[in-house]
Amino acid sequence: MAGYDDFVQTSYKPNSKDVIATFHVKVPTWQKEKTAWGAVASESSVGTWAAVKALHYKHVQKVAAKVFDVKKDSNRGYWLKIAYPEDHFEPGNMSQIMASVAGNVFGMKTVDALRLQDIQWTKKIVKSFPGPQFGIHGVRKIFNEKKRPLMLSVPKPKVGMTSAEHANIGWQIWTGGLDLLKDDENLTNQWFNPFERRVLASLKFRDKAEKLTGDKKSYLINVTAPTVKEMERRAKFAAKAGGEYVMIDICTGGWMAVNSLREICQDLGLAMHAHRAFHGSFTRVHDHGFSMLNLAKSVRLLGVDNLHIGTANVGKLVGTAEEVRNIQNNITMDVAPADPKEHSLAQNWYGMKPVFPCSSGGLHPVIVEDVLNKMGTNIMLQIGGGIHGHPKGSYAGAKAMREAVEAYMDGVHVDDAAKSSKELREALEYWGHTRPR
Ligand code: CAP
Ligand code: MG
């Protein structure tokens, strides 16, 4: 192999030791199509712009990627399938793997736009990662709740309240019927609400709420920190204070932080909630960047227990029902089927535990029904503004949400349920069936 064109080998038949990636590429008018396709495989594996002699070495070629399938879909737009021999990668090192498959290649002048849509992992790569420690079943066991969606709430405003105000909201939502309090993605250890004070104050109310209700309650404590050492210190603090869960901003923290926290959580017996803030900067534009599907599959490997995946277009954030369903399949099934419409490939997880999908963003109790119709009940539901914005406040908002979920589980339409639930009726009168933007 030397020039970019040599990385296109349409006669190649991939085997079970190839990691397969699907890319969409837009070729500039000045570039030959085949050269652009080959450039994607070259730059994301072993090659560079120059015909370096060592590219011809047999052992180098053994770890080179090849474009083996090309389908035109628009003027100068093509779907490529690229095979990467699994030996190209360091097993268990997501940062290394992504520096190849999702690395420099996105900035090349020789493509106008490039979208990495899916990566089909091989058995060896899957087995090199831990996967979730608890997964859906383990998390359900913590709450002794087999069927209904688990319910959580983030205090709003996101940032600015004191630790005492934050903890008090915890008290209201727990006693109102929710399972989990959650820190927001941008609340970590600010001076007005320091980490340790918040954790201690909130867990105190958690204990009281458990005593009052007789139900298990928990708290998703944001341990995202500037260094792994500090993240570990915070996770240890959370565990020692009696927490059973931590959360991390997986995108702003990065692969290594997620991987490291998974190890820390194993030692401490903590479950891990993954928040995806920042993903929209690289997943949202459909002809360029890295898909949410890839992110979700990668963090299943790394071992988060819950992951935000969207609301199937019911709430305030983008993400079509089809896209969200495909992501949900890929984080929950043992063998996820291919989805040609989403340009995703089948994925065997070889027994790796499923991740609990979390639906969140612009929800309120009245439209919970729409989400459950689309995503099923084996999910977590997060409602922030739709609880704390209830006309009667957070406690009433939590009660309304609990009533909405119980009604759904009993097969009762939300409008009918509102007749016998004061808080749900107030939510219905206030918001109707509006879908926030
Ligand atoms: C939701 C939320 C979540 C988003 C994240 C927010 O608040 O707390 O971070 O849902 O997006 O800050 O917007 P509301 P996604 O319930 O008040 O909307 O779940 O899509 O990753
Ligand atoms: Mg948030």
Side-chain angles (χ1 to χ4, degrees):
M1 282 187 190
Y4 287 155
D5 292 27
D6 298 325
F7 286 80
V8 181
Q9 295 178 22
T10 47
S11 58
Y12 179 73
K13 298 262 170 294
N15 60 59
S16 61
K17 294 190 180 322
D18 284 320
V19 169
I20 312 281
T22 58
F23 282 95
H24 185 266
V25 60
K26 265 193 164 172
V27 182
T29 45
W30 54 266
Q31 182 58 290
K32 203 175 81 177
E33 275 100 331
K34 187 174 178 187
T35 307
W37 308 337
V40 178
S42 167
E43 290 285 345
S44 64
S45 63
V46 297
T48 185
W49 63 276
V52 176
K53 207 170 148 209
L55 275 175
H56 295 280
Y57 296 168
K58 254 195 166 157
H59 52 279
V60 173
Q61 287 200 30
K62 266 196 170 160
V63 294
K66 322 166 219 349
V67 178
F68 67 91
D69 188 73
V70 180
K71 299 250 175 339
K72 190 178 168 102
D73 86 322
S74 62
N75 185 29
R76 303 192 78 76
Y78 298 87
W79 282 102
L80 309 179
K81 284 191 185 142
I82 299 184
Y84 297 80
E86 63 184 3
D87 282 349
H88 179 93
F89 304 110
E90 179 187 343
N93 186 345
M94 193 60 80
S95 303
Q96 182 276 332
I97 294 172
M98 290 305 177
S100 278
V101 187
N104 299 348
V105 66
F106 285 109
M108 292 179 76
K109 287 181 178 166
T110 198
V111 299
D112 270 349
L114 184 70
R115 172 74 166 184
L116 175 50
Q117 189 60 19
D118 189 19
I119 305 171
Q120 182 186 56
W121 305 105
T122 62
K123 184 173 184 179
K124 181 176 165 188
I125 299 286
V126 171
K127 292 281 179 194
S128 72
F129 286 96
Q133 186 185 174
F134 292 83
I136 297 180
H137 309 292
V139 168
R140 283 198 172 282
K141 229 170 152 186
I142 296 177
F143 293 91
N144 194 23
E145 178 50 65
K146 290 203 178 83
K147 281 196 174 142
R148 68 161 168 82
L150 294 182
M151 293 171 278
L152 40 140
S153 183
V154 178
K156 302 284 172 175
K158 293 179 191 239
V159 161
M161 288 190 288
T162 64
S163 307
E165 287 163 344
H166 182 101
N168 186 268
I169 289 183
W171 167 250
Q172 294 185 51
I173 61 116
W174 281 316
T175 51
L178 303 200
D179 305 293
L180 291 128
L181 173 69
K182 177 185 172 299
D183 286 343
D184 224 326
E185 67 281 355
N186 50 357
L187 181 66
T188 54
N189 187 31
Q190 287 97 317
W191 66 270
F192 46 81
N193 189 353
F195 179 82
E196 290 167 19
R197 194 190 298 162
R198 178 171 76 255
V199 170
L200 294 178
S202 301
L203 289 177
K204 215 167 155 186
F205 274 124
R206 190 271 317 257
D207 294 345
K208 270 175 76 176
E210 281 185 345
K211 265 202 193 119
L212 183 79
T213 61
D215 294 330
K216 178 71 201 150
K217 306 285 177 186
S218 193
Y219 174 25
L220 305 175
I221 301 168
N222 189 357
V223 295
T224 309
T227 63
V228 169
K229 215 168 153 187
E230 176 59 15
M231 187 170 66
E232 179 167 23
R233 196 189 67 76
R234 292 183 196 178
K236 281 185 173 158
F237 185 88
K240 202 163 167 223
E244 45 280 290
Y245 243 116
V246 288
M247 66 165 272
I248 178 171
D249 293 326
I250 54 172
C251 297
T252 60
W255 305 117
M256 208 213 297
V258 181
N259 215 152
S260 303
L261 187 60
R262 173 64 180 83
E263 274 185 11
I264 294 165
C265 284
Q266 183 76 38
D267 294 345
L268 299 172
L270 293 172
M272 228 171 130
H273 180 91
H275 197 290
R276 59 179 181 164
F278 186 53
H279 83 94
S281 65
F282 53 84
T283 61
R284 182 171 180 168
V285 181
H286 279 194
D287 68 353
H288 189 77
F290 187 87
S291 69
M292 182 57 213
L293 173 68
N294 282 325
L295 179 65
K297 289 176 71 174
S298 308
V299 297
R300 179 173 183 179
L301 293 175
L302 289 172
V304 307
D305 294 293
N306 325 332
L307 172 68
H308 288 239
I309 64 166
T311 61
N313 213 19
V314 175
K316 71 182 181 189
L317 298 156
V318 296
T320 64
E322 294 72 26
E323 183 189 357
V324 171
R325 189 172 313 119
N326 189 37
I327 294 168
Q328 191 172 358
N329 287 344
N330 272 280
I331 63 169
T332 57
M333 297 171 91
D334 194 42
V335 181
D339 185 339
K341 278 198 182 141
E342 293 293 315
H343 297 278
S344 76
L345 305 162
Q347 179 67 58
N348 191 332
W349 291 94
Y350 302 99
M352 186 171 271
K353 286 181 185 160
V355 176
F356 222 142
C358 178
S359 186
S360 166
L363 300 178
H364 60 77
V366 183
I367 56 175
V368 151
E369 188 175 77
D370 300 1
V371 177
L372 298 176
N373 280 340
K374 289 183 169 159
M375 297 178 69
T377 51
N378 208 8
I379 62 169
M380 293 182 137
L381 279 169
Q382 189 293 129
I383 304 192
I387 281 183
H388 314 297
H390 186 285
K392 297 279 167 63
S394 302
Y395 175 75
K399 279 193 88 175
M401 179 177 181
R402 179 76 192 235
E403 296 285 349
V405 167
E406 297 289 353
Y408 188 90
M409 297 305 289
D410 293 341
V412 179
H413 189 273
V414 63
D415 291 349
D416 295 328
K419 289 176 192 152
S420 52
S421 159
K422 187 170 154 286
E423 291 79 9
L424 193 51
R425 190 164 60 251
E426 285 161 349
L428 184 63
E429 281 161 9
Y430 188 55
W431 282 304
H433 285 263
T434 49
R435 294 168 169 220
R437 285 171 185 228

